[in-house]
Amino acid sequence: MLLPVVLAGGSGSRLWPLSRELMPKQFLTLHGDKSLLQSSLIRLSGISTAKPLVVCNEEHRFIAAEQIRQLNLLDKNIILEPTSRNTAPAITIAALYAMQHGEDPTLLVLAADHVFSNVSAFKQAIYTAKPLAEKGLLVTFGIKPTAPETGYGYIKQGKILNDCPNAYLVKQFIEKPTIEQAKQLLLDSDVCWNSGLFMFKASTFLNELAIYRPDILLHCQNAVAQTLADMDFIRINKELFINCPAESIDYAVMEHTQSAVVVPIESEWSDIGSWSALWELGQKDTRGNVQHGEVLQHNSHNNYVYSESGLVATIGLENTIVIQTSDAVLVANKDHVQQVKEIVQTIKEQGRSEHYTHRQVYRPWGQYDIIDQGDGYKVKRITVLPGEKLSLQRHQHRAEHWIVVSGLAKVTLDTVEQTLSENQSIYIPIGCIHALENPGPELLELIEVQSGRYLEEDDIERFTDRYGRC
């Protein structure tokens, strides 16, 4: 059995302001018409696999579940990381979970944010790797370099395998190089980029980990031994997992094992690690511009311009990234986009929130958009999906006024239930226990006006919640 393990952690800070901690890049639609996570899963169509295991951060569980559900692949198959510990622990908990019932699947470890231009070549590499993995080898996948890229690691290919003409022993892993080193590596026909994708038997990986990093294995074994099922989520023990060292699979195992082989993938590839990478991937006009949304460009060349809301116009702009969202704008020279993460760090240090969340926030019941806020008030547009319900809750510091824009709202106010329709409203006093539900077949949209001395999201005391957030 081939079991895809999709690593969907990470914050994607280099794609700020579109990517935020609560909505990182793997869940965004940046290339094509699906999110990067969904595209990674769709890419496996036609290959005989089990339903994937997706490893993601606990904060992203409902976003991941909804996107997987849309592909009819949701089946209690999301492993929640209580905290990020890099790829070695993430893969370890997936391997341990996959073997809990005596099975020993072949794991295809994928990243949720990669793009391949040649899907057929991607699949052919998987077919090549599968018998190698089943024989007890640890397969990594390489990409032929097309530029002196300093943001990727490299792999030096050794001897070709006798029984497999498109697989090589791994001679050396090379760290992310300087630009001069990258230029030299580009001239070497035996060098490829390290894609960060892998295939191996679950038992093979765990046996190698026991040799080289038994500490990681022990912490993960203890955490997975206390697994709890929660809706479509698999929860491991937080207190035990948090003690696990953070380490990449390359450092933990691949750079030490004597069983590593590399299978090249003959395809253009990107991990979308910067805005310039999206410019490279995008459909360019005659002036080399890539644009999304409402954009007008005059006498402008080789730009990437993204408009989330409203018109963005450029005049005489070249080699520039312009990203407009509802609450932030980024303007950067295309050659300096790796420094975006430094802007994100400054935002954190200043105590702002733009690194963490968008104005629009997704919840398991729907979403809300912060329309306006000021001293003592906040205005939201709330959308509740058909049949969904917010938790029974109360606030200690704010009152709320709800006005229904469209749909039906079933409102619980202390012990009284009532149904509101379009243009009707209700007032929720401070300290009142209340709930909101959409009993109808259409979207429920309403305006919420909050007033009070403290209006942050942690002023919620939940009593019951169908999504397990109490």
Side-chain angles (χ1 to χ4, degrees):
M1 179 178 63
L2 187 61
L3 175 61
V5 174
V6 183
L7 305 182
S11 60
S13 60
R14 287 178 295 179
L15 290 183
W16 183 87
L18 210 55
S19 178
R20 311 282 177 101
E21 288 185 18
L22 278 188
M23 191 67 172
K25 66 174 179 175
Q26 58 268 28
F27 304 111
L28 299 175
T29 302
L30 296 173
H31 185 71
D33 59 358
K34 300 291 184 183
S35 75
L36 295 180
L37 169 62
Q38 290 174 319
S39 296
S40 295
L41 295 171
I42 292 170
R43 198 174 297 129
L44 298 173
S45 62
I47 302 174
S48 180
T49 69
K51 284 190 176 179
L53 278 178
V54 176
V55 184
C56 75
N57 189 285
E58 186 170 351
E59 285 190 317
H60 307 143
R61 63 193 186 277
F62 295 116
I63 303 170
E66 174 59 20
Q67 293 194 358
I68 297 168
R69 184 198 64 78
Q70 290 173 7
L71 302 179
N72 296 316
L73 293 173
L74 189 61
D75 187 22
K76 299 178 174 60
N77 52 343
I78 301 176
I79 299 178
L80 301 181
E81 280 188 292
T83 185
S84 177
R85 285 295 180 263
N86 214 317
T87 54
I91 295 168
T92 302
I93 59 177
L96 289 167
Y97 181 80
M99 294 185 69
Q100 276 190 332
H101 302 294
E103 298 175 335
D104 186 15
T106 299
L107 307 182
L108 173 59
V109 180
L110 305 170
D113 54 0
H114 288 189
V115 171
F116 289 87
S117 64
N118 189 337
V119 176
S120 296
F122 167 79
K123 292 180 179 179
Q124 183 56 54
I126 291 174
Y127 297 138
T128 300
K130 191 169 185 287
L132 302 176
E134 290 172 346
K135 289 195 299 187
L137 295 173
L138 286 84
V139 183
T140 184
F141 296 90
I143 309 292
K144 204 64 181 174
T146 57
E149 177 60 58
T150 60
Y152 300 146
Y154 290 69
I155 298 172
K156 176 75 172 179
Q157 296 171 183
K159 293 181 179 180
I160 193 168
L161 296 189
N162 292 331
D163 56 347
C164 187
N166 199 35
Y168 304 82
L169 296 174
V170 172
K171 185 175 183 179
Q172 181 187 3
F173 284 90
I174 302 169
E175 295 292 329
K176 294 178 181 178
T178 65
I179 184 61
E180 292 304 320
Q181 291 170 332
K183 289 178 180 178
Q184 289 300 313
L185 290 170
L186 190 61
L187 302 176
D188 191 336
S189 61
D190 291 330
V191 165
C192 56
W193 284 330
N194 183 357
S195 71
L197 310 182
F198 306 92
M199 188 189 294
F200 34 65
K201 299 282 285 185
S203 60
T204 301
F205 170 72
L206 295 176
N207 289 338
E208 294 292 298
L209 188 68
I211 296 171
Y212 300 110
R213 288 304 301 265
D215 55 335
I216 291 177
L217 178 59
L218 179 61
H219 284 295
C220 290
Q221 285 174 327
N222 292 337
V224 173
Q226 297 190 30
T227 297
L228 295 175
D230 174 16
M231 300 171 63
D232 289 296
F233 310 115
I234 303 155
R235 294 181 178 273
I236 63 173
N237 186 280
K238 179 177 181 178
E239 288 70 25
L240 296 173
F241 185 70
I242 203 168
N243 296 319
C244 184
E247 191 66 278
S248 72
I249 182 178
D250 287 333
Y251 287 155
V253 173
M254 298 303 293
E255 293 187 4
H256 307 288
T257 182
Q258 301 302 304
S259 301
V261 298
V262 56
V263 172
I265 302 177
E266 300 295 331
S267 173
E268 293 183 3
W269 163 86
S270 175
D271 67 352
I272 311 190
S274 68
W275 287 113
S276 59
L278 274 172
W279 176 81
E280 292 282 355
L281 288 169
Q283 185 69 40
K284 301 173 184 62
D285 63 18
T286 56
R287 294 181 174 87
N289 296 312
V290 178
Q291 55 194 47
H292 294 269
E294 293 189 71
V295 177
L296 290 177
Q297 299 204 62
H298 177 72
N299 194 26
S300 297
H301 303 81
N302 301 322
N303 302 313
Y304 184 94
V305 183
Y306 187 106
S307 171
E308 184 177 86
S309 59
L311 176 65
V312 174
T314 71
I315 301 174
L317 210 60
E318 293 188 14
N319 202 46
T320 301
I321 304 294
V322 181
I323 310 298
Q324 178 266 343
T325 69
S326 57
D327 63 345
V329 176
L330 169 70
V331 180
N333 184 285
K334 190 139 52 69
D335 297 330
H336 296 275
V337 290
Q338 295 293 347
Q339 298 172 29
V340 170
K341 58 186 178 182
E342 297 174 19
I343 292 292
V344 173
Q345 183 59 36
T346 300
I347 291 171
K348 292 180 182 180
E349 291 170 355
Q350 292 182 355
R352 302 179 64 95
S353 62
E354 288 89 349
H355 71 287
Y356 183 68
T357 184
H358 288 273
R359 202 183 79 171
Q360 190 174 67
V361 178
Y362 293 89
R363 289 289 186 260
W365 43 260
Q367 64 189 49
Y368 67 80
D369 184 5
I370 301 174
I371 299 172
D372 191 17
Q373 58 185 322
D375 188 20
Y377 77 93
K378 183 183 289 186
V379 182
K380 293 180 178 179
R381 185 182 184 98
I382 295 176
T383 303
V384 185
L385 298 170
E388 299 300 330
K389 181 180 181 180
L390 283 68
S391 58
L392 185 68
Q393 59 184 257
R394 69 180 170 193
H395 312 295
Q396 298 295 339
H397 306 290
R398 72 174 185 249
E400 296 174 342
H401 192 175
W402 295 342
I403 306 100
V404 176
V405 176
S406 64
L408 291 176
K410 183 179 178 181
V411 178
T412 301
L413 200 59
D414 286 327
T415 59
V416 178
E417 289 186 353
Q418 54 185 300
T419 300
L420 305 178
S421 57
E422 184 176 330
N423 293 326
Q424 293 184 314
S425 63
I426 192 169
Y427 176 70
I428 314 294
I430 293 176
C432 177
I433 297 175
H434 61 281
L436 174 65
E437 182 177 358
N438 180 359
E442 307 295 334
L443 290 176
L444 164 63
E445 295 194 81
L446 56 85
I447 301 298
E448 176 183 271
V449 181
Q450 301 177 2
S451 59
R453 64 181 185 275
Y454 184 79
L455 303 174
E456 298 305 317
E457 291 302 307
D458 57 359
D459 180 24
I460 298 177
E461 180 184 1
R462 291 189 174 94
F463 297 95
T464 60
D465 182 67
R466 63 175 59 174
Y467 312 108
R469 297 175 298 168
C470 291

